Amino acid sequence: AKLTLKNATFVGNTSVTISATDEENLTTSRSIDVQVAMKANEAPVVAIDTIVVPFGKYTQIVIADMVKDDYTASTDLDFDFEEGENLIVKKIKNTSLRITALEDDWSGTDYLTVTFTDAENLVTEKQIVVIVQEAENQAPVIAEIPQQNEIGTELFSNIDLSQYVSDDYTSPSN
């Protein structure tokens, strides 16, 4: 026999009557006591391992998307964090984290350590990888080059284009 609760959230003591009937319709019953207890509380579970931050921008992470707990609503969890040396992390109310790079031109990998505590003081600490993406490669820029004049049959002067070309990823000499 399988016992099923009519009220899925019931916790407490109750009794269940079990009846057995044979082929000749003879019946017997017995009442048994049943204790329904809550599942043991477990520590919060952090659901993400990596956060990606676009270059020169910020990422905002909603706490409810980051952590789950079996008995405490994510909005009621206490949380704290320790940012990596290249990050700025700000807690916005108790609902989200805003993550940016410390320096506008920095890209790379750093870490954010988050700690969550539920209503029964069970704690989870997790180190999350934070990747600040590199800037998107832009087309080279050519500055204005002074007008070149030819006098008679003389050849134009050589122009050092490295003085006029700039690129975010390639040196002008390449």
Side-chain angles (χ1 to χ4, degrees), residues 69-146:
D69 189 70
D70 50 359
Y71 286 104
T72 306
S74 58
T75 53
D76 294 333
L77 293 170
D78 287 331
F79 78 95
D80 202 2
F81 61 88
E82 185 177 324
E83 60 206 7
E85 63 185 41
N86 294 301
L87 302 175
I88 299 172
V89 181
K90 292 182 181 174
K91 186 188 282 190
I92 300 176
K93 298 185 181 178
N94 205 35
T95 60
S96 60
L97 293 175
R98 185 176 185 166
I99 305 166
T100 58
L102 181 63
E103 301 291 332
D104 288 340
D105 61 349
W106 183 82
S107 63
T109 302
D110 207 337
Y111 300 92
L112 168 68
T113 302
V114 292
T115 305
F116 292 95
T117 306
D118 70 10
E120 292 186 12
N121 291 322
L122 293 177
V123 177
T124 293
E125 182 178 284
K126 183 168 184 177
Q127 190 175 63
I128 298 171
V129 176
V130 178
I131 300 170
V132 177
Q133 296 176 321
E134 289 185 355
E136 226 176 271
N137 189 13
Q138 303 295 316
V141 175
I142 301 175
E144 189 169 328
I145 299 173

Side-chain angles (χ1 to χ4, degrees), residues 31-50:
S31 183
I32 60 172
D33 292 328
V34 177
Q35 180 182 21
V36 180
M38 291 190 334
K39 179 182 136 203
N41 186 24
E42 296 179 6
V45 176
V46 179
I48 61 174
D49 298 312
T50 305

Side-chain angles (χ1 to χ4, degrees), residues 6-19:
K6 290 181 183 178
N7 177 353
T9 60
F10 174 79
V11 175
N13 295 319
T14 190
S15 62
V16 177
T17 302
I18 299 179
S19 300

